[in-house]
Amino acid sequence: MPRYPEVMNQRQRFLNYPEPLKGPDVPYENERGNNPALSGIFLVIAANLMEWFRFLRELIWHNTGFSSLRKIIPYIEEYEPWFEPQIVPLPEEADKEPFAEEPLDEDTKHDAAVFYPEQKYYSVEDYRKLYLSGTITPLDVAEALLPLIRRDIQNASEHSIAFFEVQTERVLASARESALRYKEGRSLGPLDGVPTAVKDEYDMEGYSTTLGSPNSYATSSTNKTTSWCVQQIEAAGALVLGKLSMHEFGLDTTGNNPHYGTPRNPHNPNYYTGGSSSGTAYAVAAGLIPIGLGSDGGGSIRIPSSLCGVFGLKPTHGRLSFRPGPNHCVTCACLGPIASDMASLAALFSVVSAPHSSSSFPPLPSPLKIRLPSPDDVKVLGIPQAWISQATPAIQTLVNTLIRTLVSKHGYATVPITIPFLVEGQIAHAMTVLTDAATLLPEYKNLTYANRILLALGRTTPATDYMLAQKLRRLLMQHLAWLWQEHPGMVIITPTTACEGWEIRGGEGELKYGLNDGDRTMQSMEFVWLGNFCGLPSLSCPVGFVQGRGGEVPVGVMATGEWCSEVELMRFGRVMEGVVVRGQGTEGRMRRPEGWVDVVERAR
């Protein structure tokens, strides 16, 4: 068991903080081999062949680049492996005063629907004001939403495909209780009666838990377990509508699910929502809910948030508890929120970040209201330009334009940074996740063909290569600690994805049988994996649109901070929110999709 030091940085003390140590100076070289995209009957054949013939699994394993870590053994052989990247702040964080909400200035004012009606989403605060005024009630909202999200009715709405399970009477009972609380002047707080829903990775008593598969992973046929985060939002009075769709086991980034159906991107139905938290991002972007819960083992909150044009936060590893259930990918995965705006995201995070009794994390201030950065706050952006250049030219233009705006109008400074072994690091993350999944899923015959291919690769990984991946993890974490020692308070800026959406190219056959496109998967995860592999908090914000097939598709920018810096990231998110709402045209304009649901108008 490695020994971890306690390290004091300029702002806070941590447990398990990596020793700050600069990594080697190596050029960024991306020379991955190409693998064919497979869908339809070809995917079915390929999955069976890989399961039958080991030599074929090994061939594809090598061609994917998983053996490339052997080339850097001289650089990593002396590093101790690091298996779970949990860095914990010591308790002085709990002594801070709650942050006061500040008025928005003219450059960041974003909630005046009269000025920007075409992109206004309803926020948590909007629902609360409407309930307090008696304009609508939580019961009105529930009755307006249920016909849109239920699968068990004739002529089910297109929105219902984003919901795996909805228990109508339970939702109505919760709405009636909330409405009565408001009527009697005993509301439970900001989330009381606000509609939300959770990814099918969370347990809810009485609901099935399938993880997007045909199997049940509930504790019994009538699940008697409720995840800690769901317990917290229920205790806060939130109107939990049910379980949301996801990519099977969260093992890819499209949201394609042949078992239960695939939600299309609300901004452009020719594209996927992104995954694996596909249902959560869809429901928020379509206007059905202002907040929802997802999970993120390799970008599964941030990728769909980016592709659907909303906000998504992957917290510090371990910040949000999976208890009483297990974390199925404890080496990389965490839970987190998706929201239509930053204030709503902060309101949800404030509730679900309450530490479980088993957690090492101290509580954050509550209620957590995120102010704008002050003149005394650090405003440093770390720019890994060689890495950013892996994105498409259109995405690079949006991100570079944003950086110039932040510097010229909002007082930020930039510093060029480099991170070694980024290509090998992404391979190490993918290898780790797939090998972990293979140990959890020894029975796989009824799973999607795409996942059967991924699990076959996971079963092929030698223990020696898995250990090399964990050694590289420590090198990366120590280099990142060194970067923050050199540049305290720095936020690393990259695109969220390197690709402009994910187009559905194979038609109904692709949706029926699934899709395996390893090259596109790696492109979509080009930037997100670092947060998972090294345990860093990371926030995806809308930055604009690019032209796609049949219309535009949203693009996200990602801000990655030092361990336990969620509050600082959300402050930056408020600045970002102002920039994208005040932007012009596709270069920075946030807007609702054409099919956005006006829940408040329906509830009236």
Side-chain angles (χ1 to χ4, degrees):
M1 182 75 180
R3 291 177 291 121
Y4 300 117
E6 282 187 15
V7 177
M8 174 79 80
N9 79 349
Q10 292 190 9
R11 294 170 298 158
Q12 190 176 325
R13 295 175 65 242
F14 295 90
L15 182 67
N16 295 355
Y17 196 89
E19 178 185 1
L21 184 64
K22 185 179 184 296
D25 292 315
V26 292
Y28 183 94
E29 294 179 352
N30 192 339
E31 298 178 353
R32 296 191 189 105
N34 294 321
N35 289 284
L38 298 170
S39 63
I41 192 63
F42 297 104
L43 176 64
V44 177
I45 294 170
N48 283 289
L49 288 175
M50 282 190 66
E51 290 170 351
W52 292 340
F53 300 109
R54 181 175 179 84
F55 82 89
L56 187 57
R57 294 198 297 274
E58 292 177 343
L59 176 65
I60 295 175
W61 187 89
H62 284 279
N63 195 57
T64 302
F66 286 146
S67 61
S68 63
L69 301 190
R70 300 170 187 176
K71 298 177 183 178
I72 62 171
I73 287 177
Y75 293 101
I76 62 177
E77 59 185 343
E78 295 299 324
Y79 284 84
E80 296 175 342
W82 197 323
F83 295 97
E84 183 181 358
Q86 181 164 299
I87 312 301
V88 179
L90 294 177
E92 61 260 24
E93 178 174 316
D95 298 331
K96 294 179 182 177
E97 290 296 318
F99 294 104
E101 188 82 18
E102 293 183 350
L104 300 181
D105 62 29
E106 285 305 309
D107 282 334
T108 53
K109 196 168 186 179
H110 66 277
D111 57 350
V114 64
F115 295 111
Y116 301 106
E118 73 275 14
Q119 85 266 343
K120 168 65 177 172
Y121 279 86
Y122 293 119
S123 66
V124 165
E125 184 180 5
D126 289 330
Y127 277 100
R128 181 156 177 79
K129 287 179 178 177
L130 290 165
Y131 293 157
L132 288 170
S133 69
T135 305
I136 59 173
T137 71
L139 183 58
D140 296 331
V141 169
E143 290 175 338
L145 281 169
L146 283 169
L148 299 178
I149 65 176
R150 290 177 57 185
R151 290 179 175 231
D152 59 342
I153 57 176
Q154 286 188 339
N155 301 318
S157 156
E158 62 179 310
H159 304 297
S160 65
I161 202 167
F163 285 78
F164 278 172
E165 186 177 2
V166 175
Q167 296 186 4
T168 302
E169 291 307 315
R170 180 169 172 173
V171 172
L172 291 172
S174 176
R176 290 188 188 100
E177 291 170 2
S178 179
L180 182 61
R181 289 193 294 270
Y182 276 103
K183 182 178 180 181
E184 295 178 349
R186 51 184 182 87
S187 164
L188 297 176
L191 294 193
D192 199 350
V194 175
T196 186
V198 304
K199 184 178 181 179
D200 190 36
E201 190 165 341
Y202 294 77
D203 287 321
M204 285 180 63
E205 183 176 356
Y207 279 81
S208 60
T209 299
T210 69
L211 304 177
S213 77
N215 306 324
S216 175
Y217 297 93
T219 54
S220 64
S221 58
T222 56
N223 194 357
K224 299 187 186 310
T225 300
T226 298
S227 296
W228 174 254
C229 291
V230 181
Q231 292 179 38
Q232 299 312 295
I233 61 173
E234 288 181 333
L239 180 60
V240 184
L241 299 172
K243 292 286 202 83
L244 291 161
S245 67
M246 62 178 288
H247 198 106
E248 185 185 62
F249 296 114
L251 285 180
D252 209 342
T253 62
T254 60
N256 179 304
N257 191 308
H259 303 303
Y260 300 102
T262 302
R264 305 289 188 105
N265 193 303
H267 288 273
N268 188 330
N270 297 310
Y271 287 75
Y272 288 109
T273 58
S276 63
S277 304
S278 50
T280 311
Y282 176 94
V284 171
L288 300 169
I289 54 177
I291 51 174
L293 288 176
S295 63
D296 193 316
S300 290
I301 286 172
R302 293 159 291 158
I303 291 171
S305 295
S306 171
L307 300 191
C308 290
V310 293
F311 297 85
L313 174 67
K314 177 236 170 264
T316 299
H317 187 91
R319 170 76 82 177
L320 303 190
S321 177
F322 281 79
R323 297 291 181 254
N327 182 344
H328 295 290
C329 183
V330 73
T331 58
C332 293
C334 63
L335 306 174
I338 294 176
S340 60
D341 64 283
M342 282 306 305
S344 296
L345 187 143
L348 178 56
F349 185 71
S350 178
V351 170
V352 297
S353 62
H356 185 266
S357 59
S358 65
S359 175
S360 302
F361 283 83
L364 289 166
S366 183
L368 188 62
K369 294 184 177 181
I370 306 302
R371 64 170 174 83
L372 290 166
S374 72
D376 295 330
D377 287 332
V378 175
K379 291 185 173 183
V380 176
L381 307 178
I383 310 299
Q385 197 59 55
W387 197 15
I388 292 173
S389 69
Q390 299 304 301
T392 65
I395 292 177
Q396 289 184 59
T397 297
L398 282 171
V399 172
N400 289 330
T401 299
L402 167 72
I403 292 170
R404 288 193 295 271
T405 300
L406 291 171
V407 170
S408 63
K409 295 185 177 181
H410 297 275
Y412 283 85
T414 62
V415 293
I417 63 170
T418 59
I419 303 172
F421 301 123
L422 287 169
V423 174
E424 293 83 358
Q426 187 179 10
I427 289 291
H429 166 262
M431 181 194 303
T432 299
V433 169
L434 294 182
T435 306
D436 289 355
T439 66
L440 286 165
L441 298 166
E443 298 296 329
Y444 46 81
K445 291 298 184 182
N446 67 339
L447 305 184
T448 59
Y449 293 104
N451 275 351
R452 285 167 62 175
I453 288 176
L454 295 178
L455 292 170
L457 292 174
R459 293 193 302 274
T460 306
T461 300
T464 49
D465 291 270
Y466 186 88
M467 288 295 287
L468 289 175
Q470 311 321 309
K471 287 174 176 248
L472 179 56
R473 191 200 303 252
R474 183 175 291 275
L475 183 153
L476 289 168
M477 292 177 69
Q478 291 186 343
H479 180 83
L480 289 164
W482 172 80
L483 280 175
W484 273 296
Q485 183 181 66
E486 294 292 303
H487 309 290
M490 175 185 65
V491 174
I492 299 173
I493 300 297
T494 64
T496 305
T497 68
C499 53
E500 301 162 4
W502 192 318
E503 186 180 349
I504 303 171
R505 295 174 176 171
E508 291 304 315
E510 181 172 312
L511 298 175
K512 179 179 179 180
Y513 293 103
L515 171 70
N516 178 276
D517 186 348
D519 293 350
R520 191 69 165 178
T521 296
M522 297 297 275
Q523 191 180 17
S524 71
M525 296 172 64
E526 174 73 43
F527 307 106
V528 294
W529 65 269
L530 184 70
N532 297 100
F533 200 50
C534 297
L536 303 167
S538 188
L539 174 71
S540 179
C541 303
V543 71
F545 291 79
V546 296
Q547 187 62 40
R549 180 170 69 90
E552 293 176 338
V553 290
V555 172
V557 66
M558 191 168 66
T560 300
E562 188 180 14
W563 296 275
C564 309
S565 64
E566 288 91 345
V567 169
E568 289 76 13
L569 279 182
M570 287 189 282
R571 288 177 186 167
F572 178 76
R574 284 198 66 192
V575 176
M576 274 294 307
E577 187 174 32
V579 171
V580 298
V581 169
R582 300 286 292 195
Q584 299 297 316
T586 59
E587 293 187 3
R589 192 71 180 271
M590 181 181 178
R591 60 176 177 268
R592 304 182 307 224
E594 186 175 335
W596 179 81
V597 178
D598 191 333
V599 174
V600 170
E601 187 60 33
R602 291 178 63 92
R604 291 180 194 274

